[in-house]
């Protein structure tokens, strides 16, 4: 018994059905008049056509009773007595086509034989009738098309001020809360709104009211739009989706008209949810001197304020909006009664990043060695979009390597690519530069291992990526809300480990510019150590700000000075002291572990990448285990890439990322 496959594209079938109905209608409109004209000929189709010779013979026998002449050449008539035609059928009526137009002699001959003569105007042919009716049919068709289009809401010329909101229906692919991770608090807030729509009596019986709106606030890539799509998938109510830029037009009043139409559609489908993405495009501060002052935008915002909480209530219409710039929104838009809830969708923590990674890898073939927890620990500060990109890059890298699964090595390389850039295989380094890079990164690694307060060392590598020639990674065991003084000072020592290693091994005259990034990050960390966090014994726990520029949107731009010249000098001297102490401490650590530094640098030159366990084994005096076998492939490895000359301007040496507290 054959299995009937389900229809995978009902929308396509619906469109084809609609086209078939339209085609059938027009065929009916055209063929019915043609059929009427074709079969309205006074029964002329009953009279058989005879030859002119037979007609002449019957006329000479006085067997023609009467004739009707049409156009002088077509003649129909009746016989006095029935005549047998082809096929042996006896007929009374006949039709004949004269070889030439009827002349006066022919008329005299008919009169002489006593035939009754009648003349008619010739009927128009089918083609001439169609040509005459074509303009009327064309006008009727255009009118009918416009009428149908306006009924369906598809006439663009008549929908200039209409809302561009998209209504998500049941056949739209659904995203549910199971597809969202790392935003548990936001999911709880939005889940409550969905429950309110499904069972409002549960909340109203205690005096609660339906919230007017919820504003999703957070950095780019944290999943605000994804949360809105999940709300659409979870709610069993109509969901209208629109972007803030869809309201903005060059003509004044169009945006306000679209806002009115949007809420009219919402009230017609109430209770429902309206989602406006990037609402800062239309909800900017009114009267702002910077980036604002636009009549069309202000009228649109005024209409939005009125529709959300004005004289007429919009009961049952919940507005959900998303923005990553809440500081530029108008205060009237942010007040309770319009946006009753501001839901913060922040960067995910360690558990959130682990959940996001599990969501993105669940439909991909993963190897047994994939450790999601370790991967999540190595991605602090990454948003959900960054993690999705990491998993996708890992899958693409595994495919390029002809792996049958995605291995942990693929995901690690993808993480390095996303955070630092692609591996620069075409770059040729001299042995001396490669050796200097190994000692630089080895200095970072040893300071990370030997100084108490640093995070555990994850790996150290001298593989060039992006603008860096190497990096030493440390992974926090868990996300931290605050950082201790010990951890900050250990971080500073680790930052200067690379520069100190260069100086101790190669001499002061051969120190390179490779530590520029390390110095920049360490200086910023030391300045915050002194001026913001109050960790300097000389200055004390006082917030000391340098010359700062503060931007007040809609009011003024001003520069204010918070400290005196003497305090500023004191801050600079304390920053210098903290940096020099960290530099001196790094020097002591590396001098005490010089043999370990040579061992780590030699291993890096041999293997290019060492794990934290490898460095720990070297510090214990153990030999490194054999190199790990690369994941299996299903095809031969790719050929060695062609090496190109070294670029004229070498990139800076990359040290560890000094994460701000």
């Amino acid at each position: 018994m054959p299995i009937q496959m389900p229809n995978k594209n009902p929308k396509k079938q619906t469109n084809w059905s609609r086209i078939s109905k339209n085609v059938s209608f027009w065929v009916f409109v055209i063929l019915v008049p043609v059929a009427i004209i074709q079969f309205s000929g006074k029964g002329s189709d009953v009279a058989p056509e005879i030859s002119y010779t037979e007609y002449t013979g019957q006329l000479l026998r006085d067997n023609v009773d009467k004739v009707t002449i049409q156009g002088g050449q077509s003649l129909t008539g009746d016989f006095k007595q029935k005549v047998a035609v082809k096929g042996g059928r006896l007929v009374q009526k006949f039709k004949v086509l004269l070889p030439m137009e009827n002349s006066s002699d022919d008329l005299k001959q008919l009169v002489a034989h006593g035939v009754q003569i009648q003349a008619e105007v010739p009927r128009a042919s089918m083609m001439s009738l169609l040509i005459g009716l074509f303009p009327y049919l064309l006008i009727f068709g255009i009118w009918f098309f416009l009428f149908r289009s306006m009924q369906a809401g598809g006439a663009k010329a008549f929908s200039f001020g209409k809302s561009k909101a998209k209504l998500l229906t049941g056949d739209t692919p659904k995203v549910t809360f199971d597809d969202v991770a790392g935003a548990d608090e936001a999911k709880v807030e939005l889940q409550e709104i969905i429950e309110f729509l499904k069972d409002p009596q549960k909340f109203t019986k205690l005096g609660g009211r339906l919230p007017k709106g919820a504003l999703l606030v957070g950095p780019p890539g944290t999943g605000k739009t994804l949360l809105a799509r999940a709300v659409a998938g979870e709610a069993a109510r109509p969901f209208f989706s629109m972007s803030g830029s869809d309201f903005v037009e060059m003509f004044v009043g169009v945006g306000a008209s679209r806002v009115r139409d949007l809420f009219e559609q919402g009230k017609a489908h109430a209770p429902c949810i309206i989602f406006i993405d990037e609402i800062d495009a239309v909800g900017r501060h009114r009267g702002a001197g910077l980036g604002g002052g636009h009549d069309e935008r202000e009228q649109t915002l005024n209409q939005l304020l009125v529709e959300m909480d004005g004289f007429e209530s919009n009961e049952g219409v919940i507005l959900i909006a998303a923005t990553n710039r809440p500081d530029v929104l108008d205060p009237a838009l942010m007040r309770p009664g319009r946006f009753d809830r501001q839901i913060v969708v922040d960067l995910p923590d360690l558990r959130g990043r682990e959940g996001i990674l599990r969501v993105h890898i669940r439909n991909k073939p993963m190897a047994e060695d994939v450790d999601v927890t370790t991967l999540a620990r190595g991605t602090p500060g990454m948003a959900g979009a960054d993690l999705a990109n990491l998993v996708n890059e890992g899958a693409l890298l595994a495919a390029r390597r002809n792996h049958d699964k995605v291995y942990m090595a693929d995901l690690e390389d993808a993480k390095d690519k996303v955070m630092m850039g692609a591996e620069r295989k075409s770059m040729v380094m001299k042995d001396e530069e490669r050796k200097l890079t190994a000692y630089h990164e080895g200095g970072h690694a040893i300071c990370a291992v030997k100084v108490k307060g640093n995070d555990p060392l994850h790996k150290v590598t001298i593989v060039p990526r992006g603008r860096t020639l190497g990096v030493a990674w440390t992974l926090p065991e868990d996300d931290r809300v605050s950082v201790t003084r010990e951890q900050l000072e250990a971080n500073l020592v680790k930052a200067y480990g690379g520069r100190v290693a260069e100086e101790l091994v190669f001499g002061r005259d051969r120190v390179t510019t490779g530590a520029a990034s390390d110095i920049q990050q360490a200086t910023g960390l030391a300045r915050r150590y002194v001026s913001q966090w109050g960790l300097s014994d000389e200055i004390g726990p006082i917030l000391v700000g340098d010359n700062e520029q503060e931007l007040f949107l809609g009011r003024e731009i001003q520069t204010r000075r918070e400290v005196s010249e003497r305090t500023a000098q004191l801050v600079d001297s304390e920053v210098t002291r903290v940096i020099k102490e960290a530099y001196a401490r790094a020097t002591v650590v590396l001098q005490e572990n010089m043999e370990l530094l040579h061992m780590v640098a030699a291993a890096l030159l041999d293997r290019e990448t060492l794990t934290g366990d490898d460095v720990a084994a070297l510090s214990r005096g153990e030999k490194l285990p054999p190199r790990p076998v690369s994941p299996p492939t299903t095809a031969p490895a790719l050929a060695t890439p062609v090496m190109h000359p070294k670029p004229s301007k070498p990139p800076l040496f990359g040290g560890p990322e000094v994460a701000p507290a």
Side-chain angles (χ1 to χ4, degrees):
M1 179 178 179
I3 300 175
Q4 185 177 3
M5 298 299 292
N7 184 14
K8 296 183 178 180
N9 198 345
K11 186 175 181 181
K12 183 176 180 181
Q13 183 180 10
T14 304
N15 293 337
W16 176 249
S17 177
R18 187 182 299 111
I19 293 174
S20 302
K21 291 180 180 179
N22 291 334
V23 171
S24 302
F25 172 79
W26 287 109
V27 170
F28 176 79
V29 169
I30 294 174
L31 292 184
V32 167
V34 172
I36 294 175
I37 296 173
Q38 180 73 25
F39 296 104
S40 62
K42 296 183 179 180
S44 59
D45 57 325
V46 180
E49 186 173 354
I50 62 175
S51 65
Y52 180 74
T53 302
E54 189 173 358
Y55 159 72
T56 305
Q58 295 297 331
L59 179 62
L60 294 177
R61 297 189 190 96
D62 294 329
N63 193 29
V64 178
D65 183 23
K66 57 182 179 179
V67 296
T68 301
I69 303 174
Q70 298 175 351
Q73 199 167 0
S74 178
L75 188 146
T76 58
D78 295 340
F79 294 121
K80 294 180 179 178
Q81 297 179 358
K82 292 184 178 182
V83 177
V85 296
K86 292 181 180 180
R89 183 164 64 95
L90 297 176
V91 297
Q92 187 77 36
K93 298 179 179 295
F94 68 91
K95 180 180 180 180
V96 65
L97 185 64
L98 303 178
M100 61 185 66
E101 289 190 4
N102 205 346
S103 62
S104 58
D105 295 338
D106 295 331
L107 294 177
K108 290 179 181 179
Q109 186 178 9
L110 290 172
V111 173
H113 289 278
V115 178
Q116 301 179 18
I117 303 173
Q118 185 179 356
E120 284 185 358
V121 177
R123 288 194 297 270
S125 64
M126 186 66 60
M127 185 59 66
S128 62
L129 283 175
L130 290 177
I131 293 175
L133 290 175
F134 180 74
Y136 301 99
L137 292 175
L138 180 62
I139 294 174
F140 173 76
I142 294 175
W143 173 83
F144 182 78
F145 174 76
L146 291 178
F147 179 75
R148 290 287 300 272
S149 299
M150 284 187 290
Q151 279 188 333
K156 300 298 182 183
F158 299 95
S159 62
F160 190 70
K162 298 296 183 181
S163 169
K164 296 182 179 181
K166 299 177 181 178
L167 176 61
L168 300 184
T169 57
D171 57 352
T172 306
K174 287 187 177 182
V175 176
T176 64
F177 282 149
D178 294 335
D179 302 315
V180 182
D184 296 336
E185 294 81 5
K187 289 167 62 175
V188 171
E189 294 279 349
L190 294 173
Q191 184 67 44
E192 185 176 337
I193 293 177
I194 295 173
E195 291 179 1
F196 206 121
L197 288 173
K198 293 181 177 179
D199 187 14
Q201 290 79 14
K202 176 181 177 181
F203 300 90
T204 56
K205 66 181 180 180
L206 298 178
R209 64 175 179 84
L210 191 68
K212 295 289 184 66
L215 181 64
L216 302 177
V217 179
T222 51
K224 299 183 293 297
T225 306
L226 182 65
L227 276 170
R229 293 173 58 191
V231 172
E234 293 283 347
R237 298 303 309 164
F239 188 94
F240 293 90
S241 175
M242 194 171 182
S243 173
S245 60
D246 291 335
F247 294 106
V248 181
E249 287 285 351
M250 62 179 294
F251 302 106
V252 178
V254 174
S257 175
R258 289 178 177 173
V259 171
R260 287 191 295 269
D261 184 69
L262 174 63
F263 278 86
E264 286 177 2
Q265 294 183 43
K267 286 185 284 187
H269 294 81
C272 71
I273 298 175
I274 296 176
F275 173 64
I276 301 179
D277 200 3
E278 303 295 344
I279 196 174
D280 51 274
V282 69
R284 282 179 177 269
H285 196 298
R286 290 171 293 180
L290 183 66
H294 193 285
D295 283 343
E296 163 64 5
R297 182 182 289 120
E298 290 192 2
Q299 288 194 20
T300 306
L301 176 58
N302 290 336
Q303 187 63 42
L304 182 61
L305 296 175
V306 171
E307 292 291 346
M308 290 188 68
D309 187 23
F311 193 78
E312 294 183 0
S313 62
N314 288 317
E315 294 296 336
V317 178
I318 297 179
L319 181 64
I320 299 178
T323 182
N324 49 28
R325 301 189 61 190
D327 54 315
V328 303
L329 295 180
D330 193 274
L333 188 65
M334 304 284 286
R335 73 165 176 82
R338 292 199 171 105
F339 282 116
D340 298 285
R341 298 181 179 181
Q342 295 185 26
I343 303 173
V344 178
V345 187
D346 210 345
L347 294 173
D349 56 7
L350 175 60
R351 190 179 66 175
R353 294 194 301 273
E354 184 176 348
I356 293 172
L357 288 171
R358 293 190 185 279
V359 167
H360 290 295
I361 70 174
R362 63 187 179 187
N363 295 326
K364 295 179 176 61
M366 290 289 157
E368 292 77 8
D369 65 338
V370 174
D371 188 352
V372 180
T373 303
T374 302
L375 199 62
R377 286 175 55 206
T379 54
M382 276 195 174
D386 300 322
L387 296 173
N389 185 37
L390 187 153
V391 175
N392 183 63
E393 288 289 343
L396 296 178
L397 186 59
R400 286 197 297 269
R401 293 173 175 175
N402 299 315
H403 294 171
D404 55 347
K405 297 179 181 179
V406 181
Y407 291 85
M408 187 64 179
D410 301 324
L411 295 175
E412 282 286 344
D413 292 342
K415 182 188 71 175
D416 295 344
K417 178 181 179 181
V418 170
M419 301 187 74
M420 294 185 298
E423 183 177 344
R424 301 172 64 182
K425 295 182 179 180
S426 61
M427 184 177 180
V428 178
M429 295 177 60
K430 296 180 180 179
D431 292 339
E432 183 179 358
E433 291 180 338
R434 192 164 177 269
K435 183 178 180 181
L436 193 146
T437 304
Y439 276 99
H440 181 102
E441 301 303 335
H444 285 307
I446 292 174
C447 288
V449 172
K450 295 299 182 179
V451 178
K452 184 180 179 181
N454 278 312
D455 295 321
L457 181 67
H458 176 57
K459 72 175 179 179
V460 55
T461 179
I462 59 171
V463 177
R465 287 183 179 274
R467 297 177 58 188
T468 65
L469 296 181
V471 67
W473 287 103
T474 57
L475 295 186
E477 296 179 350
D478 201 350
D479 288 343
R480 286 190 291 263
V481 179
S482 59
V483 184
T484 64
R485 176 186 291 198
E486 180 185 55
Q487 292 169 338
L488 291 173
E489 293 176 351
N491 225 340
L492 288 171
V493 174
K494 181 185 66 174
Y496 284 110
R499 177 64 174 266
V500 172
E502 292 181 21
E503 186 175 350
L504 292 177
V505 176
F506 298 96
R508 187 172 182 274
D509 294 335
R510 297 184 62 188
V511 169
T512 67
T513 60
S517 176
D518 303 330
I519 295 173
Q520 179 183 3
Q521 296 180 30
T523 303
L525 184 62
R527 185 164 294 277
R528 293 193 295 274
Y529 178 97
V530 173
S531 62
Q532 294 183 17
W533 299 325
L535 299 177
S536 170
D537 296 332
E538 184 69 22
I539 296 178
I542 300 175
L543 177 63
V544 181
D546 296 330
N547 296 341
E548 298 180 357
Q549 283 191 349
E550 295 197 4
L551 182 64
F552 295 87
L553 286 176
R555 293 174 177 84
E556 60 181 345
I557 301 176
Q558 68 175 10
T559 303
R560 62 182 183 181
R561 191 178 185 87
E562 293 185 341
V563 297
S564 63
E565 291 287 348
R566 181 179 178 278
T567 306
Q569 292 178 0
L570 184 59
V571 169
D572 291 339
S573 64
E574 280 295 292
V575 170
T576 303
R577 180 189 63 81
V578 171
I579 290 176
K580 287 184 176 180
E581 287 182 358
Y583 195 91
R585 190 177 174 188
T587 303
V588 173
V589 170
L590 291 178
Q591 285 176 343
E592 294 176 352
N593 297 275
M594 186 59 66
E595 184 179 354
L596 178 60
L597 177 61
H598 292 307
M599 295 172 60
V600 171
L604 283 174
L605 291 173
D606 179 41
R607 302 193 176 202
E608 291 190 336
T609 300
L610 297 177
T611 64
D613 295 336
D614 294 337
V615 176
L618 290 175
S619 66
R620 294 191 300 266
E622 302 174 0
K623 291 185 179 181
L624 294 182
R627 294 184 183 183
V629 181
S630 59
T633 60
T634 57
L638 300 178
T640 304
V642 179
M643 296 299 182
H644 298 284
K646 178 183 176 182
S648 58
K649 184 178 180 182
L652 299 177
F653 285 92
E657 295 282 341
V658 181

